[in-house]
């Protein structure tokens, strides 16, 4: 009986080790590569190159977000068009979500909270976004990355329009309460 319990305990312990400590594998390997003098220089070079490549994408994307945010804050044709029809809001949101990174989602969510975009636009941006994973995919497989962004944009459009069609009462965000739209 005791040997059976000990075997079950060892099996449970091995199972726990496999599940609980998987996330430690990468940091341990990275630490080992940095600790070994023969691999330290290569590891630092690879990590710094990856950082600067992603930083360049982030800087370009944030520039686009800033330009769009400035257009949205002024009385422009874009803002008039977006306020006139929820369909255009979903298109705008899906395109913002398709951009790499999470900046597009931040812009759309901010506009939704202000009552300027529909809930379907929120669904569209969150469905269309790949987040920071898009940077990695674009860096390694640009054509696949662009294809995935296009697919995400299409799925975001469809899901946003479905949400706006089925939830017409809340599709205009906070527009039903005029005091919160300003």
């Amino acid at each position: 009986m005791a040997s059976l319990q000990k075997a079950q305990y060892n099996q449970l312990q091995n199972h726990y080790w496999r599940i609980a400590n998987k996330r430690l594998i990468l940091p341990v390997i990275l630490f080992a590569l940095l600790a070994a003098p023969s691999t330290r220089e290569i590891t630092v070079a690879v990590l710094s190159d990856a950082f600067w490549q992603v930083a360049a994408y982030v800087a370009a994307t944030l520039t686009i977000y800033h330009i769009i945010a400035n257009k949205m804050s002024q009385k422009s044709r874009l803002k008039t068009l977006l306020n006139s029809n929820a369909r255009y809001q979903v298109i705008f949101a899906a395109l913002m979500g398709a951009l790499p990174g999470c900046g597009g989602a931040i812009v759309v969510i901010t506009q939704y909270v202000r009552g300027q975009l529909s809930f379907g636009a929120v669904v569209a941006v969150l469905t269309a976004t790949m987040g920071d994973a898009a940077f990695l995919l674009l860096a390694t497989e640009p054509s696949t990355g662009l294809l995935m962004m296009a697919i995400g944009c299409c799925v975001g459009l469809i899901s946003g329009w479905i949400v706006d069609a089925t939830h017409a009462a809340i599709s205009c965000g906070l527009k039903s309460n005029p005091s919160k739209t300003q």
Side-chain angles (χ1 to χ4, degrees), residues 62-152:
L62 287 178
T63 301
I64 292 169
Y65 296 148
H66 181 69
I67 291 168
I68 291 173
N70 280 340
K71 293 286 184 187
M72 293 282 300
S73 66
Q74 301 167 1
K75 298 286 183 198
S76 66
R77 286 180 44 189
L78 177 62
K79 186 168 183 169
T80 305
L81 183 67
L82 290 175
N83 286 336
S84 69
N85 193 338
R87 281 186 149 296
Y88 297 127
Q89 295 175 8
V90 172
I91 294 170
F92 169 76
L95 291 173
M96 290 297 287
L99 293 173
C102 59
I106 292 169
V107 170
V108 171
I109 298 297
T110 303
Q111 295 302 315
Y112 172 75
V113 170
R114 291 182 182 174
Q116 297 173 355
L117 293 179
S118 70
F119 186 67
V122 171
V123 171
V125 74
L126 294 177
T127 305
T129 191
M130 286 179 50
D132 292 339
F135 293 124
L136 299 174
L137 191 55
L138 286 172
T140 58
E141 293 282 335
S143 60
T144 304
L146 292 173
L147 177 65
M148 291 304 297
M149 290 166 62
I151 291 170

Side-chain angles (χ1 to χ4, degrees), residues 29-43:
I29 291 172
L30 186 60
F31 181 73
L33 289 171
L34 290 171
S38 61
T39 58
R40 182 179 304 131
E41 187 177 330
I42 294 170
T43 304

